[in-house]
Amino acid sequence: MFTGLLFLAVIIGSIVFHIWTPWWWTDIASNWSAMDDTIILSFWIGGGVFILVCLFMVYCIFRYQYKEGRRSEYKPEDKKLEKGLTWLTTIGVVALLAPGLVVWNNYIRVPDNAIQVEVMAWQWGWKYRLPGQDGKLGASNNRIISDDNPYGLNIDDPNGKDDVFVESNELHLLKDRPVKILLRSIDVLHNFYVPQFRSKMDAVPGTITYYWFEPNKNGEYEVLCAEYCGVAHYAMRGKVVVEDEESYNKWLLEQETFSSFTAKNRNNKLNKKKFVKINNLSSNKNSILKEQDVR
Amino acid sequence: MSDLNLDKLPGGFKGMSEDIGSDQTTFKGVNWGKAMMWIFLLSDTFVFSCFLVAYMKVRASVVEPWPYPSEVFALEMMGVPVPLLLIAIMTFVLITSSGTMALAVKYGYEKNRKMCGWFVLLTAIGGLTFVGMQAFEWSKLIFHDGVRPWANPFGAEQFGAFFFMITGFHGTHVSIGVIFLFIFARKVFRGDFDTGRRGYFTTMKSDYVAIEILGLYWHFVDLVWVFIFAFFYLW
Amino acid sequence: MSDELNINKKRKNQIKTKSSAASGRGETDIDYVRPAELPEQDLYHGHSFITKWIFCQDAKVIGVQYTLTAVFTGVVGLILSWMMRMQLGFPDLFPFLTAETYYQMVTMHGMIMVVYLLTALFLGGFGNYLIPLMVGARDMVFPYVNMISFWMFFVAVVVLMASFFVPGGPTGSGWTLYPPQAILEGTPGSGYGILLMLISLSLFVIGFTMGGLNYVITILQARTRGMSLMRMPLTIWGIFTATVLALLAFPALLVSSIMMTLDKVLETSFFMPTIIKAGEALSYDGGSPILFQHLFWFFGHPEVYIVALPAFGIVSDLISVHSRKNIFGYRMMVWAIVGIGALSFFVWAHHMYVSGMSPWFGFFFATTTLIIAVPTALKVYNWILTLWRGNIRINTVMLFCLGFIVTFVNGGITGIFLGNVAVDVPLSDTYFVIAHFHMVMGIAPLMVIFGAIYHWFPLVTGRLMDEKLGKWHFWVTFLGAYSIYFPMHYLGFIGVPRRYFEMYDSPYMTSAVGMNEFISVAAFIVGAAQFIFFYNLVKSLRLGKPAGKNPWKANSLEWLTPDVPPTHGNWGEKLPVVHRWAYDYGVPGAKEDYIPQTTAPSEVKDAEVEKT
Amino acid sequence: MAEAKKEQTTTHKIGIYLWIWGLLFVLSFFSYMVDWYNFQGLLRWSLILFFMFLKAGLIMAFFMHLFWERYALVNVLLWPMTAIACFVGLMVAEGKYTVFSRLFYFFVGGA
């Protein structure tokens, strides 16, 4: 009796906690409300199963408690019941999976009008690079990072000349315009995560990863690193400001471009040798790239 | 094991379902030690597979050119570089030792002490030759060509790392096998398997089936070499 | 040495008893039993203290040794978790808890609990003790190798614990040990700590392989007469499948450990791309960090089931025995265990949806992952259907089983959230993940472990454990643990990332402070409650009520040994002959409400037993 | 006991071992020739794999006696290879994806 009541209390407590919890997600500030919807869907289906299973268990505790002399039912199998439950579960699983896959399909296909933003993660902070007028980011390589070339840009790549450097942890984004976040790390794994945008992806050294979203609410949001990256992981914060075109452009003008940066440092000799190596490689590999350009 | 007569059991898939549904043993007529060796080899297959998968993945994703193995592993013969010569000889040696092992197992079945012992010994010598040649190959790469696990003069630096790691791991297997082959050659000649003398550590009775188990291990080492040869030297 | 050996008397080839055919094909009484196919087993009986209790070849002693060592590491893990909760609940209160020590504790806690406690306890502890007894063997097939297996594990634990005392301390790279950070400065213990961890893991794998081969071959090749695979208790099925998984999954861990050791020691670049530290490029170039994650999770996901499947199996048996009812849908349960085990090799990258791997993998792995949900759900249904129309004893063992069902269903369902790729994106790397896996592979298996210890303690020691203390232990542990992890999911919804040493200065997270304090207090209480259990254990060992033979009126073979507790060799002169499955409870027409596996059909003539 | 035990495995004629032995040498020679004649591209890979699997199959089937073993053992040993096959397949895809991203972003630019 006591046992059944306590288990019942646990189930009811869970439901009550869920309904009246003050702890819930932050207001969404991007286009990924579909993710929230899939979570809610999972909650309905999964929560329903949880409650039904547990209530049935509690019922059994009450109803079939040990009585001396009573025999349990002897029925090793019930094909019909088992088949029915299998189908029911399969339907439930498909109902959960299908919307998830649709959302994921959207998540990995970036719209054509997305602005590219490179997020460069390092231990422990963030830097950003935006394309200039041409809308393209220049080729970069961690090998050639130096004081003169903090982003390791290939100086022979014309696309990189007008790239905008944002050497602070604050990034501004245009409202209602999709952004493709290109994640780059110069040391270890990081993860550019703004809870309000729902989306995230690891930054992996040695390759570039991406994801996209469309901020649709003005405001300032905190960036968290969501992949453990060493002892100051918890302190690796940044800031994203979503704003309208006017203030965005103002902010953009204040930032430095690659050419202005190099002009400032013209006196410093650039490390030519490394560029030569990189360029030779790139011509060799162009053919491979064409073959594999599946996009 | 008494009156079990394998020939009377149904074969094929029907036999399989019956074996699995039966009591006592699932692998009919398979000695405990042999079954254990098979499952161990299955596990070891996963080890080598993981090594090779990792190697292929890294090789596929480096942008630096991967060294051309048949040039790296070429040997000068009378002024002409012959590609993969040493590797070809090593393959030859290992397959030879695999063949002698197969014969040792055959004579083990027949409880032919002399022949079995000689072939085990031959196998051990073959294995030792292989290890020796591998040592030569390593020292040539290290001292002559300047290949290091962390760098090499031919291109992508993972080349040396994977080479030393995978052949090293395989070589360790061969070396362990050679040690056991010598021990078992002695045991065969001493007649342990005929008298059923007990093992020093395990206190288990000796039996000719041990030769078969050792044979499985040795063929497995050869098998792994087939894959290494294909993926590392030829690919 | 050979004079120390006791060679068991040769068994008669034929036992003339009226019994059903031992093979799968017969359901009617046939007058013969098939001749034995098994070789007689030599057993090495120890005579000195050392050969009897330390370097002992008896699987039962080895099982206890495994259990004690694993529980010892578990207590270390528990203390580490306390210290973590001290920091999270009450930051700044304990000045000795720096970020470095915090991350070291996180790492060691995770690794200890997953590998050195749960894996070793379920397979090494319960596996060693129960496999020979439950399949009717005298011992493991190679007792000597089995003994070495334990000592390898022991050395692995010593190496692991040694890392607490080396310069720089143990590794603080998180239990997943992701490179590059695991071996770079900036992560605590990136010198000796990580090396010792990798060495310890390699030793563990080698040691486990020796034991695992024994478990598999004992189950496959050394069952007693009449014990077909489809008559084995589900405990054995769970342990068997988990062991097979371990034998095939641990290689990936071994390989990744070796490769990372080389990256650390020889500066190879398997997992290490170009890395800029303090403005300078390190010597690494061209490696692939994601490769490590693939290898790690190719091991890591089966590892989850290595822990879960024995728990599934054991809990099935406990529920069946204590609700006096046959397990519902036995065959479905077996296929579910095997199916889950097989599928677990095709789902590994669902831990990596946001790792930057090829995005197309998301579709494949989400699908395979959710397919696993089907057999898992069926198992849950079968457990509760076993309770249905049963005759349920509400004792400590049953309480732990019920607790398991609640926590497992809860954790399983949050697993569906995380396995479904788009749902995983906002939730991954948050407290939701922590809550999920603690619920499903922390609390749920622990519930089973406790239940199993209360259940089999009388077999091991001949005495019952104290019920009253046991119930207290259960309720504090269950309610406490539930109130730790259930609210924790909601921290994940807020977006609190995991592995944060300190987190309260984010504007939207301040509301979580109160909850964190509550969780910490609950964690202290739950941890303390375990000492009730230890007290109960020690007390019952000396003062517990004598249990006698088969105190739970169970059917399976381990309770049917001639001596309780069973002696070396388990079965005395003759091995038992099995005539039925282990779940003949409440059979109509039978005198008792249980029919042990060794009972021949002719002894219970009136019983209406279904074909098993 | 050992002496009472019946012979479990049938013995085979020596000829079969010698045959397989010879075949292995021939196949090794062929795969060596793949390199000698410097075949490239798909032909090279398929030939390498073909000879590799043939050799592996011969060793497993005859030297390791799998051909004469009962299906229960054979199936238990071969089915786990599907997990490896899956791993290999996915890692091929992953390797291609990685090299593509690296070349695309580090060398070509204009992303």
Side-chain angles (χ1 to χ4, degrees):
Chain A
M1 202 64 191
F2 170 73
T3 311
L5 283 177
L6 264 180
F7 275 108
L8 193 62
V10 167
I11 299 156
I12 293 172
S14 304
I15 301 169
V16 169
F17 184 90
H18 179 71
I19 294 171
W20 277 301
T21 180
W23 298 287
W24 195 238
W25 54 46
T26 49
D27 288 339
I28 190 164
S30 79
N31 59 324
W32 290 121
S33 56
M35 286 184 185
D36 287 359
D37 296 342
T38 51
I39 292 180
I40 293 295
L41 177 71
S42 307
F43 246 121
W44 277 107
I45 297 181
V49 171
F50 173 70
I51 292 164
L52 286 180
V53 166
C54 291
L55 285 182
F56 187 80
M57 189 187 94
V58 169
Y59 164 75
C60 290
I61 299 172
F62 281 125
R63 175 71 180 70
Y64 301 107
Q65 223 178 71
Y66 192 77
K67 277 202 198 87
E68 197 62 51
R70 187 174 67 197
R71 283 289 166 93
S72 59
E73 186 194 42
Y74 187 71
K75 194 175 190 187
E77 267 168 1
D78 187 338
K79 286 261 160 63
K80 227 171 107 188
L81 182 61
E82 289 175 64
K83 218 179 233 169
L85 286 172
T86 312
W87 279 111
L88 208 66
T89 314
T90 312
I91 292 167
V93 161
V94 171
L96 287 172
L97 178 64
L101 292 185
V102 172
V103 177
W104 178 251
N105 194 34
N106 293 334
Y107 190 65
I108 62 176
R109 285 175 203 273
V110 186
D112 293 336
N113 64 338
I115 306 178
Q116 319 255 357
V117 175
E118 181 185 84
V119 172
M120 190 161 117
W122 50 281
Q123 274 178 328
W124 289 275
W126 308 96
K127 287 198 271 186
Y128 310 96
R129 180 161 64 109
L130 304 168
Q133 297 296 321
D134 59 356
K136 286 178 176 172
L137 288 166
S140 65
N141 198 312
N142 286 347
R143 266 284 144 200
I144 48 179
I145 284 178
S146 66
D147 289 346
D148 307 319
N149 191 356
Y151 286 79
L153 293 192
N154 185 343
I155 48 163
D156 295 336
D157 185 350
N159 292 330
K161 292 272 191 265
D162 57 352
D163 283 5
V164 178
F165 290 0
V166 186
E167 289 211 65
S168 83
N169 65 9
E170 185 177 316
L171 174 68
H172 289 231
L173 293 175
L174 262 178
K175 181 170 173 275
D176 292 333
R177 181 80 194 270
V179 247
K180 180 183 188 183
I181 302 279
L182 290 166
L183 291 147
R184 177 175 169 206
S185 166
I186 61 163
D187 36 43
V188 303
L189 303 174
H190 300 278
N191 189 322
F192 188 77
Y193 171 48
V194 178
Q196 287 85 348
F197 296 156
R198 299 293 186 264
S199 45
K200 60 162 86 78
M201 188 61 73
D202 280 6
V204 182
T207 187
I208 302 283
T209 57
Y210 73 92
Y211 69 92
W212 76 277
F213 61 89
E214 186 184 310
N216 54 15
K217 210 183 253 176
N218 284 352
E220 288 185 9
Y221 305 102
E222 188 175 29
V223 179
L224 304 160
C225 179
E227 182 65 56
Y228 178 57
C229 57
V231 76
H233 168 55
Y234 66 99
M236 192 170 157
R237 312 285 173 94
K239 200 158 118 188
V240 171
V241 178
V242 178
E243 57 196 0
D244 293 323
E245 193 143 10
E246 201 180 328
S247 40
Y248 176 76
N249 285 341
K250 207 174 124 211
W251 170 79
L252 196 60
L253 281 176
E254 289 165 11
Q255 310 302 320
E256 201 158 24
T257 63
F258 184 36
S259 34
S260 69
F261 183 87
T262 12
K264 219 167 58 186
N265 294 288
R266 189 163 291 155
N267 297 339
N268 304 330
K269 247 175 85 184
L270 290 166
N271 193 346
K272 275 278 183 199
K273 246 192 323 195
K274 283 176 182 169
F275 290 119
V276 174
K277 191 181 168 198
I278 296 290
N279 286 332
N280 285 346
L281 273 173
S282 85
S283 58
N284 281 344
K285 295 284 176 174
N286 267 342
S287 52
I288 303 176
L289 190 61
K290 269 186 205 124
E291 188 189 308
Q292 296 187 340
D293 192 350
V294 282
R295 296 185 179 186
Chain B
M1 300 205 197
S2 53
D3 310 316
L4 174 71
N5 196 337
L6 282 179
D7 298 334
K8 282 191 188 151
L9 292 175
F13 285 104
K14 186 159 177 284
M16 180 175 84
S17 57
E18 214 162 276
D19 285 0
I20 290 175
S22 78
D23 62 344
Q24 297 195 312
T25 57
T26 304
F27 306 139
K28 298 290 174 197
V30 177
N31 173 283
W32 284 351
K34 189 171 142 190
M36 197 144 143
M37 180 52 86
W38 266 118
I39 304 293
F40 167 72
L41 293 183
L42 183 64
S43 182
D44 216 13
T45 307
F46 271 64
V47 174
F48 278 105
S49 303
C50 288
F51 273 126
L52 288 172
V53 168
Y55 150 71
M56 284 308 231
K57 158 76 171 70
V58 169
R59 178 168 171 174
S61 47
V62 289
V63 285
E64 306 237 352
W66 194 262
Y68 195 49
S70 62
E71 279 165 21
V72 177
F73 298 106
L75 271 191
E76 291 262 318
M77 281 292 280
M78 293 176 279
V80 191
V82 185
L84 296 181
L85 180 61
L86 183 66
I87 314 303
I89 300 172
M90 282 163 77
T91 309
F92 179 80
V93 169
L94 205 58
I95 291 178
T96 309
S97 78
S98 213
T100 53
M101 191 71 227
L103 294 182
V105 173
K106 177 190 152 58
Y107 288 116
Y109 285 147
E110 293 166 6
K111 303 203 188 306
N112 187 336
R113 185 168 68 91
K114 273 264 169 60
M115 290 297 270
C116 178
W118 281 114
F119 274 111
V120 172
L121 197 63
L122 261 179
T123 313
I125 291 167
L128 204 59
T129 318
F130 179 86
V131 176
M133 289 165 83
Q134 198 167 41
F136 171 73
E137 185 194 9
W138 274 44
S139 53
K140 178 176 168 291
L141 276 181
I142 294 171
F143 300 116
H144 184 262
D145 297 336
V147 179
R148 299 283 183 278
W150 52 90
N152 75 71
F154 315 112
E157 62 171 277
Q158 282 84 2
F159 174 77
F162 272 112
F163 173 77
F164 289 123
M165 184 174 69
I166 295 177
T167 60
F169 206 74
H170 177 256
T172 313
H173 274 72
V174 179
S175 308
I176 293 170
V178 166
I179 293 169
F180 274 94
L181 281 167
F182 276 118
I183 294 173
F184 275 69
R186 174 158 182 266
K187 284 184 165 224
V188 176
F189 282 128
R190 198 166 57 184
D192 285 11
F193 298 117
D194 300 308
T195 58
R197 180 173 164 151
R198 288 184 183 280
Y200 180 74
F201 287 111
T202 57
T203 66
M204 296 272 235
K205 282 198 155 195
S206 304
D207 189 299
Y208 270 109
V209 81
I211 296 295
E212 192 189 350
I213 295 169
L214 187 64
L216 284 180
Y217 177 82
W218 192 256
H219 295 309
F220 175 75
V221 169
D222 190 19
L223 193 72
V224 171
W225 182 254
V226 169
F227 284 81
I228 293 176
F229 180 65
F231 286 129
F232 210 94
Y233 295 103
L234 293 181
W235 199 258
Chain C
M1 216 166 208
S2 58
D3 48 23
E4 281 186 35
L5 289 158
N6 171 21
I7 298 141
N8 287 297
K9 283 191 181 168
K10 212 176 165 185
R11 277 176 285 126
K12 289 172 197 162
N13 277 344
Q14 304 230 322
I15 297 177
K16 299 264 184 203
T17 48
K18 200 170 159 57
S19 62
S20 80
S23 71
R25 63 184 104 94
E27 63 248 55
T28 49
D29 281 18
I30 302 176
D31 267 332
Y32 67 90
V33 170
R34 278 225 301 221
E37 294 166 5
L38 300 179
E40 291 79 12
Q41 191 169 16
D42 292 342
L43 295 177
Y44 176 82
H45 290 299
H47 288 300
S48 63
F49 178 79
I50 289 180
T51 47
K52 241 181 179 160
W53 299 110
I54 298 180
F55 294 105
C56 182
Q57 300 192 19
D58 183 355
K60 292 188 291 298
V61 178
I62 295 172
V64 174
Q65 287 174 326
Y66 255 114
T67 307
L68 293 178
T69 318
V71 168
F72 164 74
T73 59
V75 172
V76 175
L78 173 73
I79 292 168
L80 291 174
S81 74
W82 267 351
M83 288 160 73
M84 281 151 59
R85 278 324 307 187
M86 272 153 69
Q87 165 60 29
L88 289 173
F90 310 98
D92 309 327
L93 208 60
F94 305 95
F96 63 93
L97 288 167
T98 59
E100 276 93 356
T101 48
Y102 175 77
Y103 286 121
Q104 287 169 332
M105 288 182 301
V106 169
T107 308
M108 296 304 273
H109 169 78
M111 198 58 101
I112 283 175
M113 290 304 195
V114 173
V115 176
Y116 296 85
L117 171 67
L118 289 173
T119 309
L121 188 52
F122 271 124
L123 301 183
F126 289 116
N128 263 311
Y129 203 93
L130 294 175
I131 289 170
L133 281 167
M134 280 185 149
V135 303
R138 294 200 181 276
D139 206 322
M140 290 290 179
V141 287
F142 289 101
Y144 183 79
V145 180
N146 202 20
M147 173 191 79
I148 305 280
S149 157
F150 167 71
W151 286 103
M152 283 297 254
F153 169 64
F154 189 80
V155 174
V157 169
V158 170
V159 172
L160 184 80
M161 294 300 162
S163 72
F164 280 105
F165 304 103
V166 292
T171 177
S173 52
W175 88 279
T176 49
L177 309 176
Y178 281 177
Q181 51 91 6
I183 58 174
L184 290 181
E185 273 173 43
T187 300
S190 63
Y192 294 104
I194 183 73
L195 271 183
L196 286 180
M197 172 63 86
L198 295 171
I199 291 168
S200 173
L201 284 175
S202 305
L203 288 171
F204 181 88
V205 173
I206 294 166
F208 178 80
T209 305
M210 296 182 189
L213 291 170
N214 257 309
Y215 315 154
V216 171
I217 302 304
T218 306
I219 293 169
L220 285 181
Q221 296 291 81
R223 300 187 304 270
T224 189
R225 254 171 283 177
M227 181 61 89
S228 64
L229 289 176
M230 276 305 189
R231 283 177 178 174
M232 289 197 309
L234 286 168
T235 300
I236 298 301
W237 267 110
I239 292 175
F240 171 68
T241 316
T243 311
V244 173
L245 293 190
L247 286 175
L248 304 183
F250 277 129
L253 179 68
L254 180 71
V255 167
S256 46
S257 296
I258 291 173
M259 286 166 74
M260 188 138 74
T261 311
L262 294 177
D263 275 0
K264 175 74 199 163
V265 178
L266 294 182
E267 303 207 343
T268 55
S269 303
F270 296 124
F271 305 132
M272 308 293 277
T274 303
I275 285 161
I276 310 291
K277 274 282 198 182
E280 287 290 313
L282 303 181
S283 66
Y284 299 111
D285 190 22
S288 169
I290 293 181
L291 172 63
F292 176 86
Q293 301 181 22
H294 279 299
L295 282 170
F296 185 85
W297 289 115
F298 189 76
F299 144 76
H301 196 77
E303 167 67 29
V304 172
Y305 288 105
I306 291 165
V307 173
L309 291 179
F312 291 173
I314 291 173
V315 85
S316 310
D317 279 5
L318 302 189
I319 289 177
S320 170
V321 171
H322 292 278
S323 56
R324 313 307 299 154
K325 184 164 179 254
N326 62 77
I327 191 80
F328 184 83
Y330 172 81
R331 262 183 295 190
M332 171 94 68
M333 296 295 254
V334 170
W335 285 112
I337 287 182
V338 174
I340 292 170
L343 274 172
S344 71
F345 278 98
F346 301 89
V347 297
W348 74 88
H350 66 212
H351 299 265
M352 299 165 59
Y353 287 143
V354 295
S355 71
M357 65 175 176
S358 175
W360 305 102
F361 286 8
F363 299 109
F364 176 81
F365 284 105
T367 311
T368 50
T369 303
L370 286 221
I371 289 174
I372 282 201
V374 177
T376 314
L378 288 172
K379 294 193 75 70
V380 173
Y381 302 147
N382 286 359
W383 289 321
I384 54 173
L385 286 172
T386 304
L387 293 172
W388 189 45
R389 297 187 178 166
N391 194 12
I392 306 168
R393 292 180 189 146
I394 306 286
N395 52 19
T396 312
V397 183
M398 182 47 92
L399 284 178
F400 275 107
C401 296
L402 300 174
F404 165 81
I405 293 177
V406 173
T407 48
F408 180 75
V409 173
N410 192 303
I413 281 162
T414 51
I416 293 179
F417 284 59
L418 294 172
N420 199 350
V421 53
V423 187
D424 176 69
V425 172
L427 295 177
S428 66
D429 288 312
T430 66
Y431 267 62
F432 190 88
V433 178
I434 301 190
H436 156 69
F437 71 69
H438 275 91
M439 199 72 117
V440 80
M441 76 176 280
I443 301 306
L446 272 177
M447 289 277 146
V448 177
I449 285 175
F450 287 130
I453 290 177
Y454 283 97
H455 181 78
W456 279 302
F457 188 81
L459 179 68
V460 181
T461 63
R463 288 174 189 277
L464 289 162
M465 284 180 79
D466 189 312
E467 275 288 306
K468 205 169 176 191
L469 285 175
K471 282 184 176 156
W472 273 105
H473 173 218
F474 168 75
W475 283 114
V476 178
T477 309
F478 172 70
L479 293 178
Y482 196 81
S483 51
I484 293 171
Y485 295 111
F486 188 77
M488 202 184 270
H489 292 96
Y490 293 80
L491 282 179
F493 282 124
I494 302 176
V496 181
R498 60 192 285 213
R499 291 175 173 166
Y500 266 33
F501 165 66
E502 179 270 330
M503 57 184 68
Y504 302 118
D505 58 351
S506 290
Y508 61 92
M509 279 187 220
T510 40
S511 66
V513 175
M515 173 138 62
N516 252 317
E517 285 171 1
F518 169 76
I519 289 176
S520 287
V521 172
F524 301 145
I525 296 171
V526 170
Q530 305 320 307
F531 291 92
I532 306 178
F533 169 72
F534 291 125
Y535 170 71
N536 193 351
L537 212 59
V538 174
K539 198 193 94 172
S540 307
L541 196 59
R542 301 198 45 215
L543 305 170
K545 216 165 66 188
K549 269 194 178 182
N550 201 353
W552 309 119
K553 300 200 162 86
N555 286 342
S556 45
L557 285 182
E558 82 271 24
W559 299 102
L560 308 174
T561 52
D563 310 283
V564 177
T567 49
H568 191 197
N570 295 349
W571 303 108
E573 295 254 310
K574 257 194 270 176
L575 287 176
V577 180
V578 169
H579 297 280
R580 59 187 70 249
W581 69 339
Y583 301 102
D584 271 337
Y585 295 103
V587 179
K591 209 157 57 199
E592 300 273 351
D593 75 337
Y594 69 110
I595 310 177
Q597 280 189 283
T598 48
T599 311
S602 52
E603 292 171 51
V604 278
K605 274 226 172 66
D606 304 325
E608 297 161 31
V609 183
E610 295 201 17
K611 182 192 164 190
T612 46
Chain D
M1 308 289 144
E3 58 273 11
K5 210 179 77 181
K6 267 197 167 179
E7 195 52 63
Q8 288 301 316
T9 328
T10 37
T11 52
H12 308 286
K13 291 221 176 67
I14 195 161
I16 188 130
Y17 294 109
L18 298 179
W19 253 104
I20 302 299
W21 206 357
L23 261 177
L24 284 176
F25 284 126
V26 173
L27 286 174
S28 302
F29 179 73
F30 281 161
S31 47
Y32 185 59
M33 283 301 114
V34 172
D35 190 63
W36 184 268
Y37 287 110
N38 211 1
F39 292 132
Q40 288 304 334
L42 201 61
L43 180 67
R44 180 186 186 89
W45 295 336
S46 45
L47 279 179
I48 290 173
L49 289 180
F50 176 72
F51 290 129
M52 181 185 83
F53 280 120
L54 210 57
K55 273 162 72 178
L58 285 177
I59 293 175
M60 293 243 299
F62 297 103
F63 279 7
M64 297 170 96
H65 293 247
L66 213 51
F67 182 72
W68 295 295
E69 298 288 356
R70 296 177 62 74
Y71 273 27
L73 181 62
V74 177
N75 277 278
V76 162
L77 293 176
L78 295 185
W79 278 106
M81 298 304 150
T82 50
I84 291 181
C86 170
F87 197 20
V88 170
L90 287 168
M91 285 306 101
V92 169
E94 179 80 335
K96 281 193 171 157
Y97 176 72
T98 314
V99 78
F100 168 78
S101 326
R102 284 179 177 178
L103 292 170
F104 188 73
Y105 292 111
F106 296 158
F107 297 105
V108 176

